[in-house]
Amino acid sequence: MDFDGNFVMTIDGRPVPGTTMIDVVNPATGQRFATAPDCTREQLDEAVAAAKRSFAAWRSTSIAERQAMVAKAADILLDHAGDMARLFTREQGRPIDAARQEIEGAAAWMKAVAAMEPPVHISEDSETQFIETRYVPLGVVCAIAPWNFPVNLAMWKVAPALVAGNTMVLKPSPYTPLCTLKIGQLLADIFPPGVFNVISGGDALGPMMTAHPGFAKISFTGSTATGKRVMQSAASDLKRLTLELGGNDAAIVLPDVDLDAIAQTIFMGSFFNSAQICVATKRLYVHEDVYDGLRDRLAAIAAAVKLGDGAEQGTMLGPIQNKRQYDRVMALLDDARSSGLTLIEGAAVPDGGGYFVPITIVDNPPEDARVVQEEAFGPILPMMKFTDIDDAVERANASEYGLAGSIWSGDTAKATKIARQLETGTVWVNQILNLRPDTPFAGRKGSGFGTENGMDGLLEYMTPQALYVAK
Ligand code: NAD
């Protein structure tokens, strides 16, 4: 397969070129390097109709067969991981090794989900009656993915939705459509036509999809602001919803930590993928006794980081993925600067037209600073001092979001007790960014609702059917 061009949609098992195209830009250069189809209303209708037609046969296929096809799809991704990683780096910006890890991680995820099976509950099996609850699929799923982990977060939806017996129309972000389009083509021979459709397009396509009456469910990952619009749009015909939205995660560092042991992990927990991670640490609360020590270590790591084009050997962190986000992050940085906050800048930003933002630590800003209150989704980390742990927990919880958070301490039992007080769907103790396919991932408050991963995640694509049989 040609990974450099010929980007087409996959509708009803067939390659479908665009009648008009959208530009795809390499964020390391700011230059367009490819185009992707801009799906029309008619093409969307075709994709939904194909998914609808294939639903009856697909849901009647045994779960073992569906699991086998999803596992085979994972192998196909692995077979093409090298080519796909190169394309990933060009469209997303992340360094090539980490790009490959995303493809391989997505494949591993699909295999783990392919081993899951929904439960069957028997409430009664007596002389008079038999009562059983099974989980059945919903219909056609609309899947909408963001640009920060474009392959992984799409596959988090594809694997459970298809194993559960649904069919799907998947839309990647307009900023990162290319790997997903190639995956559509690669898997066209694996799934029956119409089961897995991939379309791409500009800003108008998402709202067109969420308003489409043919979908039974929307699984959306993206920002909280967009999530609210998706929810409004879904209300018209009561589409089921999973909303994985933004976060402003806190990490709390207690005074009994070994700073040398944790500094690098804390750094990457904030800045990996140039801080474009929903569950990155975006507010760092540090006990006053270890504040200066941690700040100085993080500043030293930031100064030594190689920022650059992910295609170049040795690059550790790439650019911000797109111009819109770059402008947002730069505006936040300007606001911090003009508010008189103390900024510690890391390594030099490369010259050229790429969307590079300097790695920046904000030294003890007030709690009400924009950079503390808003999700930066870029490499600006506010670090705040605390004296009293209850105060730190209260500040951590005083957020519109509730995605994840972490506690760092030499005393695991004490840290675990504190971790349980965080109002977030995921909490870590002395680790971060660890997610698993068999463990539920769910947001609270403004971070959305519904669950991905684990049995809860699989059941998000199903609904219970209770069967009562009189004997
Ligand atoms: P975004 O909300 O701008 O876009 C996400 C997707 O929604 C894209 O495919 C976009 O084209 C589409 N979209 C845009 N407007 C739409 C509309 N009105 N109706 C339907 N679809 C629409 O988000 P983004 O900038 O791509 O991603 C970054 C955000 O995603 C951050 O806030 C981040 O925290 C969040 N995120 C959350 C998770 C999670 O699992 N909770 C994971 C990754 C990213």
Side-chain angles (χ1 to χ4, degrees):
M1 176 165 297
D2 170 17
F3 279 84
D4 290 325
N6 190 27
F7 296 104
V8 293
M9 301 185 284
T10 299
I11 297 176
D12 205 12
R14 286 176 295 107
V16 176
T19 48
T20 54
M21 307 295 276
I22 56 170
D23 288 345
V24 185
V25 169
N26 180 341
T29 62
Q31 301 295 316
R32 181 185 84 161
F33 75 99
T35 59
D38 191 4
C39 185
T40 63
R41 171 77 211 197
E42 291 68 34
Q43 288 168 327
L44 170 63
D45 287 343
E46 274 173 44
V48 177
K52 266 197 153 164
R53 274 196 305 277
S54 61
F55 176 57
W58 181 245
R59 77 169 160 199
S60 308
T61 312
S62 73
I63 187 157
E65 282 175 84
R66 297 198 301 259
Q67 288 168 324
M69 285 186 235
V70 170
K72 178 96 175 65
D75 283 331
I76 304 268
L77 251 64
L78 287 177
D79 289 345
H80 296 275
D83 286 331
M84 210 175 290
R86 278 186 286 282
L87 178 61
F88 186 110
T89 295
R90 290 180 83 190
E91 70 171 333
Q92 204 279 339
R94 193 181 315 154
I96 189 93
D97 291 348
R100 192 180 175 114
Q101 279 164 18
E102 172 154 347
I103 314 295
E104 291 172 349
W109 219 269
M110 292 163 82
K111 286 196 179 183
V113 175
M116 287 182 193
E117 198 159 330
V120 177
H121 302 296
I122 296 178
S123 321
E124 185 175 334
D125 188 6
S126 65
E127 282 179 9
T128 55
Q129 61 177 349
F130 172 75
I131 306 172
E132 171 200 84
T133 306
R134 290 182 313 129
Y135 291 86
V136 295
L138 298 166
V140 183
V141 172
C142 164
I144 299 183
W147 45 259
N148 61 330
F149 283 79
V151 173
N152 229 330
L153 295 176
M155 295 303 126
W156 281 21
K157 302 181 188 310
V158 174
L162 300 192
V163 165
N166 304 280
T167 58
M168 174 176 276
V169 181
L170 166 64
K171 184 193 88 65
S173 165
Y175 297 113
T176 52
L178 302 181
C179 283
T180 311
L181 289 169
K182 286 296 164 193
I183 290 172
Q185 281 185 276
L186 285 169
L187 304 189
D189 296 334
I190 303 293
F191 298 110
V195 166
F196 177 50
N197 306 277
V198 179
I199 60 177
S200 61
D203 287 343
L205 183 57
M208 221 197 287
M209 289 175 80
T210 56
H212 200 292
F215 290 113
K217 169 167 181 114
I218 302 168
S219 180
F220 171 84
T221 303
S223 63
T224 299
T226 310
K228 288 177 185 172
R229 285 194 281 275
V230 170
M231 190 165 173
Q232 272 172 341
S233 177
S236 58
D237 38 17
L238 289 180
K239 294 184 185 87
R240 271 50 185 163
L241 274 179
T242 301
L243 297 176
E244 292 291 353
L245 309 178
N248 197 7
D249 293 5
I252 299 177
V253 181
L254 302 187
D256 60 358
V257 287
D258 175 348
L259 287 178
D260 289 323
I262 65 166
Q264 179 71 26
T265 312
I266 297 244
F267 182 86
M268 287 315 264
S270 272
F271 294 109
F272 178 66
N273 201 34
S274 298
Q276 302 163 110
I277 308 184
C278 54
V279 291
T281 298
K282 294 165 187 154
R283 295 176 291 151
L284 181 56
Y285 293 97
V286 186
H287 191 273
E288 59 185 353
D289 291 355
V290 286
Y291 182 92
D292 289 356
L294 184 58
R295 182 200 53 209
D296 295 348
R297 282 169 178 78
L298 295 179
I301 299 169
V305 157
K306 185 171 179 309
L307 207 60
D309 186 336
E312 284 167 17
Q313 273 303 322
T315 297
M316 286 167 67
L317 296 176
I320 292 296
Q321 198 282 322
N322 60 73
K323 178 74 165 59
R324 196 188 290 180
Q325 185 63 13
Y326 171 80
D327 289 343
R328 263 202 73 239
V329 177
M330 290 308 274
L332 205 55
L333 204 53
D334 286 347
D335 177 82
R337 219 174 258 134
S338 60
S339 310
L341 303 182
T342 308
L343 308 184
I344 304 167
E345 266 191 33
V349 166
D351 295 334
Y355 308 140
F356 291 97
V357 173
I359 293 167
T360 306
I361 294 163
V362 188
D363 192 2
N364 205 24
E367 198 63 31
D368 62 358
R370 268 186 67 196
V371 73
V372 182
Q373 293 300 317
E374 293 181 21
E375 178 189 37
F377 221 60
I380 313 173
L381 176 64
M383 230 180 132
M384 284 77 65
K385 259 183 215 175
F386 74 87
T387 312
D388 172 46
I389 182 61
D390 291 337
D391 171 54
V393 170
E394 199 177 311
R395 285 154 77 186
N397 283 336
S399 167
E400 62 172 300
Y401 297 106
L403 198 55
S406 60
I407 311 292
W408 302 79
S409 165
D411 181 341
T412 312
K414 182 168 80 182
T416 304
K417 235 173 156 177
I418 297 166
R420 293 189 198 284
Q421 296 174 41
L422 292 188
E423 295 165 0
T424 58
T426 300
V427 280
W428 289 291
V429 171
N430 293 329
Q431 57 164 299
I432 192 161
L433 305 185
N434 183 17
L435 298 172
R436 293 168 52 114
D438 60 358
T439 304
F441 177 63
R444 288 164 66 172
K445 301 192 275 184
S447 294
F449 54 77
T451 306
E452 295 202 288
N453 309 332
M455 186 53 71
D456 300 88
L458 180 63
L459 296 182
E460 288 270 312
Y461 292 97
M462 310 188 87
T463 190
Q465 183 182 52
L467 172 73
Y468 290 72
V469 181
K471 289 191 182 167

